[in-house]
Amino acid sequence: MAKDNVLVEVNNLTKYFPIGSGGFLRKKVTELKAVDGVTFAVHHGETLGLVGESGSGKTTVGKCVLQLHRPTSGEVSFKGKNLVDLTDKQLRPFRPKLQVIFQDPYESLNPRFTAYDIITEPLRLHHATKTECRNRVKELLDIVGLAPYMAERYPHEFSGGQRQRLGVARALALQPEFIVCDEPLSALDVSIQAQVLNLLDDLQRQFGVAYLFISHDLSVVRHISHRVAVMYLGKIMEIAPRDALYDRPLHPYTQALLSAVPVPDPKV
Ligand SMILES: Nc1ncnc2c1ncn2[C@@H]1O[C@H](COP(=O)(O)OP(=O)(O)OP(=O)(O)O)[C@@H](O)[C@H]1O
Ligand SMILES: [Mg+2]
């Protein structure tokens, strides 16, 4: 794909976490290389799948891209601007454009806020009027498949699947250009998984939003991704167009990962 179509560019990203050596008399602290020299790009309107076993560093990559974790080193550019160089205050104008959907957004939803408050919070921060808020909430609830009356509910009154839809609605409120989806389907019933996948697909077609789609479910990643990156111990082992990666995995680790998955019947 053309270079000028790049939305997010990650260059030689590292994130090391300090780990103590145990005994309090031993001062020596070592580092855990959670992300160790990762390079990739995400294009406008593209979905890049990110797969790999538990602990390989997927979530840490996602958080570093969004600057929820500050990288140890490396570059994260959004539309050509290196976010790593920016202060928290300088990052603020970029926040609406860069969103995240978690596995279960419960912890990030204020329990004292209604769904209406939760969805409109980012809108109100950007000075939307009451009428704009009301219309947008109606629209967003509809987009994510929630009933209008649910606007008055509190997070604990939602099921896991409904809460995920609420999380999607909030992430969409400010028309983001890039969303990190971190295992967004893992907590959902299989029938609802397909609906949410289709929803994410529709949103991409409609609004041109790009996704970094993190999952350990290779069949889900295959369904939604244009390209797929395979992570192992903090590094990207292989990155390739979806079909090439699944049909002709080059790296032994990718082959091992794929061979552990039942092949879905394309006729089903
Ligand atoms: N805040 C933190 N402090 C210290 N170590 C961390 C922190 N966050 C993650 N790690 C470590 O970094 C490594 C990568 O973690 P990460 O959560 O990115 O993996 P993951 O690929 O998302 O795994 P999973 O599939 O289980 O979600 C792990 O060894 C983890 O223990
Ligand atoms: Mg994770």
Side-chain angles (χ1 to χ4, degrees):
M1 246 179 267
K3 175 102 178 157
D4 57 9
N5 199 24
V6 169
L7 183 66
V8 172
E9 197 169 7
V10 172
N11 261 317
N12 214 3
L13 180 74
T14 67
K15 179 65 182 177
Y16 299 165
F17 292 111
I19 32 173
S21 58
F24 70 97
L25 287 177
R26 280 175 292 157
K27 278 270 170 26
K28 193 171 156 285
V29 169
T30 50
E31 286 172 319
L32 174 82
K33 298 182 173 180
V35 177
D36 194 15
V38 159
T39 296
F40 64 86
V42 183
H43 302 84
H44 284 276
E46 182 190 35
T47 299
L48 178 68
L50 186 58
V51 300
E53 64 189 21
S54 184
S56 55
K58 305 179 298 294
T59 295
T60 307
V61 166
K63 288 187 171 174
C64 284
V65 171
L66 299 173
Q67 302 301 303
L68 299 174
H69 278 330
R70 291 300 203 155
T72 304
S73 67
E75 216 176 84
V76 177
S77 295
F78 177 72
K79 293 180 164 179
K81 185 94 182 162
N82 188 3
L83 303 180
V84 175
D85 292 340
L86 304 181
T87 63
D88 289 349
K89 191 174 170 208
Q90 289 169 327
L91 271 174
R92 235 173 268 159
F94 291 92
R95 292 273 177 222
K97 297 295 157 205
L98 302 158
Q99 293 290 326
V100 61
I101 299 170
F102 292 111
Q103 179 172 344
D104 186 342
Y106 195 61
E107 283 161 42
S108 65
L109 301 176
N110 189 331
R112 285 187 296 260
F113 275 21
T114 62
Y116 182 92
D117 297 331
I118 286 166
I119 296 173
T120 57
E121 189 184 24
L123 295 170
R124 282 178 280 124
L125 285 174
H126 286 78
H127 312 295
T129 66
K130 260 206 173 114
T131 316
E132 281 167 352
C133 283
R134 222 172 297 140
N135 291 338
R136 189 81 177 120
V137 166
K138 216 189 273 173
E139 189 178 59
L140 286 165
L141 287 176
D142 185 53
I143 286 176
V144 301
L146 291 175
Y149 70 85
M150 291 181 177
E152 301 312 317
R153 283 195 181 174
Y154 292 88
H156 72 271
E157 299 175 286
F158 286 90
S159 72
Q162 290 169 337
R163 251 193 324 263
Q164 188 54 288
R165 288 162 189 267
L166 181 57
V168 175
R170 184 180 59 174
L172 286 175
L174 292 171
Q175 294 167 313
E177 294 178 63
F178 179 72
I179 304 180
V180 173
C181 307
D182 193 353
E183 305 273 6
L185 309 177
S186 308
L188 305 180
D189 187 87
V190 174
S191 63
I192 297 164
Q193 282 188 1
Q195 290 172 20
V196 174
L197 255 193
N198 289 336
L199 170 65
L200 294 173
D201 228 15
D202 287 349
L203 298 173
Q204 185 166 72
R205 270 172 238 279
Q206 220 175 322
F207 307 117
V209 56
Y211 300 125
L212 179 66
F213 194 96
I214 297 170
S215 180
H216 62 265
D217 186 332
L218 289 159
S219 59
V220 166
V221 169
R222 179 170 201 165
H223 180 85
I224 196 161
S225 304
H226 300 101
R227 289 184 304 136
V228 178
V230 179
M231 264 191 100
Y232 182 67
L233 294 180
K235 291 181 159 60
I236 288 185
M237 309 311 283
E238 182 168 2
I239 181 163
R242 185 246 327 252
D243 290 338
L245 187 116
Y246 280 80
D247 296 342
R248 296 177 300 281
L250 295 180
H251 196 276
Y253 177 70
T254 311
Q255 290 165 4
L257 199 63
L258 289 175
S259 68
V261 176
V263 179
D265 186 343
K267 275 170 273 171
V268 175

